[in-house]
Amino acid sequence: MTTQDPTDTTVPFVLPGPPPIRETLAGWEQWRATRTAFVPAPRLGLATWRMLSPRQRMLHDLHRTATHANLPLQQTPMSQAVAKLMRGRIESNAVKHKPTTRAGVMITGGGYQGKTETACEVAAAFEDAWLELHHYLNPDAVPGTRDLHAPVAYVQTPVTAKPKSTCKAILSFYGADTRRMDLPDLVRQVRDSLHDHGSKALLLDDITRLRMHRADDQDTLDLIRAFMNMHVTLVLIGVDIPGSGLLREGRHDPRTGQWILPTSTRAKTFGLEPTQTERRFDLIELDRFRYDTPQHITAWTSHLAGLEQHLRLLKAPPGMLTDGTMPEYLYRRTDGVVGLLERLVEDGCREAIATGEERLTQTVLDSIAIDLTSAPGRDPDAGEVPTVPAQPTRTRGTVTGSKRKRRRSTVFDDHGPTASGATP
């Protein structure tokens, strides 16, 4: 048993455990309940840090590293538009009692642009409010039962999706037994699970893993669209949805701004097409930042200022990420993609702490390579890994610190008679 050092003035810090698996009901609930629980490292000046004991310094540096690795999700003008549309659609559908098909939402954009985190945050905020509204009880529960209440279900589309594997992925979220079930049984089980758990929103991530040239994927898309009969808001998240072929049978309604898709052609065999109602989706793009107008530059700089507030470097000056040419440099390194920016800043902070630089400079960041070749859980063939801008070329003799060694002047050096061409 160890006792705490009475002179230890740093915040008690416990390394976070393994991240929750949001693809299960228990994991989703754990993530939703703890998503804002992380306490960042306190702000210390260099003089205060030097007064700490070696152990305290080590713990504080570890806490700072964890802080930079768990930067909070920042809202952007693009994510705010997505949140407004998605939250409004889920809320409207949740209180709708008409036996009509609920309109869905499609969120598109490039890889590492925050689509998944934005959608999950919106869904979690809705679930928080919905549970509080109903006193954490399922208002649709069968009398005499105690079904788990799960207003939101989050599922990742299987890499090689088929109707059966997609149904099993959804049922896996609820922990349902899928053994010895054929497709009609699986579909009925999905319908019953959504209803029994009071699910109001079904998030299907990485939907563009479907390839429309494959018959199995076409069947899967038809099945997913037929799920809209289950009185649940379908939220499809994917990279470049317009270019993926998912909308090839649809038509755009300029009056409502929605994409209208015809009824499924194959899902009728699953017993999910009792009506000929067309499926409607609101398509919205979560785009990257731009840097070509004063408004875009201002938005990018404001985002950098917000990010800077969460960094814990001992020598960081005000405007570290926003002054001078730093905003343009960071944009050039990340192409305005928030996920790449977070990776660059996180690795840069780690380098700054390790070298004692304790600030982010262009020289420090030049030494950081953004490598996404082995990104876990990403399918490069589906566009989930973006193109990373090239790392700046470092010239010979460049050092990673903010000060470079000044070369000695040799103008007045006496190089001897040989150098001057004289004979001895």
Side-chain angles (χ1 to χ4, degrees):
M1 179 176 178
T2 59
T3 59
Q4 183 176 0
D5 186 348
T7 64
D8 192 345
T9 58
T10 57
V11 175
F13 171 58
V14 178
L15 283 173
I21 302 176
R22 290 186 294 202
E23 294 82 3
T24 66
L25 178 54
W28 172 267
E29 290 181 340
Q30 179 188 355
W31 170 80
R32 181 179 59 82
T34 62
R35 69 187 191 277
T36 60
F38 179 79
V39 178
R43 297 181 182 276
L44 298 182
L46 180 59
T48 304
W49 180 84
R50 285 173 174 170
M51 294 175 62
L52 299 177
S53 67
R55 175 181 178 275
Q56 290 171 336
R57 292 181 188 177
M58 181 271 294
L59 290 176
H60 183 66
D61 289 348
L62 184 60
H63 197 173
R64 290 195 292 153
T65 299
T67 300
H68 300 147
N70 294 277
L71 295 172
L73 180 67
Q74 285 196 103
Q75 288 189 343
T76 68
M78 299 77 73
S79 67
Q80 288 175 338
V82 171
K84 180 180 179 181
L85 172 64
M86 180 178 165
R87 180 67 181 265
R89 179 61 62 205
I90 294 177
E91 288 182 345
S92 296
N93 288 344
V95 298
K96 186 176 295 184
H97 291 280
K98 298 179 181 179
T100 56
T101 300
R102 276 41 172 176
V105 176
M106 289 185 176
I107 302 176
T108 185
Y112 278 77
Q113 290 179 189
K115 300 181 300 300
T116 296
E117 296 308 316
T118 298
C120 286
E121 177 58 35
V122 172
F126 161 78
E127 183 168 346
D128 290 340
W130 189 259
L131 290 173
E132 184 177 0
L133 176 65
H134 295 284
H135 306 288
Y136 297 86
L137 298 175
N138 186 354
D140 301 322
V142 177
T145 65
R146 295 184 61 186
D147 290 322
L148 291 174
H149 193 188
V152 174
Y154 172 78
V155 179
Q156 281 194 328
T157 306
V159 175
T160 54
K162 296 181 180 180
K164 292 184 68 173
S165 64
T166 302
C167 287
K168 288 183 178 181
I170 297 173
L171 293 174
S172 177
F173 177 85
Y174 297 106
D177 186 4
T178 60
R179 292 173 296 179
R180 297 183 298 275
M181 283 189 180
D182 55 16
L183 183 56
D185 291 335
L186 290 170
V187 172
R188 284 192 293 269
Q189 185 65 39
V190 168
R191 179 184 56 207
D192 293 343
S193 294
L194 290 171
H195 177 268
D196 293 344
H197 290 83
S199 298
K200 301 300 179 182
L202 173 60
L203 278 60
L204 289 178
D205 203 356
D206 300 324
I207 191 64
T208 44
R209 289 178 176 177
L210 299 179
R211 305 290 192 272
M212 292 301 98
H213 65 278
R214 297 193 297 235
D216 284 337
D217 294 41
Q218 296 174 27
D219 289 343
T220 302
L221 181 59
D222 285 337
L223 176 65
I224 290 172
R225 280 157 44 184
F227 285 160
M228 300 172 75
N229 277 358
M230 298 180 180
H231 299 169
V232 64
T233 301
L234 196 60
V235 181
L236 307 181
I237 309 166
V239 175
D240 189 19
I241 289 179
S244 66
L246 297 180
L247 300 173
R248 67 179 184 180
E249 298 178 358
R251 60 182 177 86
H252 184 259
D253 185 348
R255 181 177 55 86
T256 63
Q258 293 179 326
W259 281 86
I260 302 176
L261 300 175
T263 56
S264 303
T265 58
R266 299 172 178 82
K268 294 179 182 179
T269 60
F270 308 146
L272 291 177
E273 286 288 354
T275 66
Q276 294 299 313
T277 305
E278 292 178 318
R279 275 57 176 136
R280 293 176 177 267
F281 282 93
D282 293 292
L283 176 66
I284 187 168
E285 181 177 8
L286 182 55
D287 200 3
R288 61 186 178 87
F289 278 96
R290 304 289 176 174
Y291 205 79
D292 50 5
T293 68
Q295 294 79 7
H296 291 160
I297 295 175
T298 299
W300 173 250
T301 305
S302 298
H303 184 75
L304 295 178
L307 179 61
E308 185 178 324
Q309 297 302 312
H310 299 286
L311 304 184
R312 299 293 189 266
L313 296 177
L314 302 178
K315 300 179 185 177
M320 179 176 63
L321 301 184
T322 58
D323 287 348
T325 60
M326 184 62 87
E328 182 178 354
Y329 170 85
L330 292 173
Y331 188 87
R332 188 168 61 249
R333 288 295 309 273
T334 64
D335 204 23
V337 177
V338 293
L340 299 184
L341 174 66
E342 182 175 311
R343 173 69 67 86
L344 178 64
V345 169
E346 176 187 341
D347 292 350
C349 287
R350 185 177 182 86
E351 177 71 11
I353 293 174
T355 60
E357 179 68 19
E358 289 292 346
R359 73 186 74 187
L360 292 182
T361 65
Q362 294 184 26
T363 305
V364 170
L365 294 175
D366 280 348
S367 66
I368 304 300
I370 306 176
D371 185 8
L372 305 179
T373 54
S374 59
R378 302 274 182 166
D379 183 6
D381 294 335
E384 297 169 15
V385 179
T387 301
V388 179
Q391 181 182 5
T393 302
R394 301 178 62 195
T395 58
R396 180 178 300 179
T398 301
V399 296
T400 58
S402 59
K403 297 181 180 180
R404 302 183 181 182
K405 185 177 180 181
R406 186 174 180 180
R407 296 182 61 187
R408 186 178 63 84
S409 175
T410 60
V411 174
F412 299 103
D413 283 2
D414 182 5
H415 299 288
T418 303
S420 61
T423 58

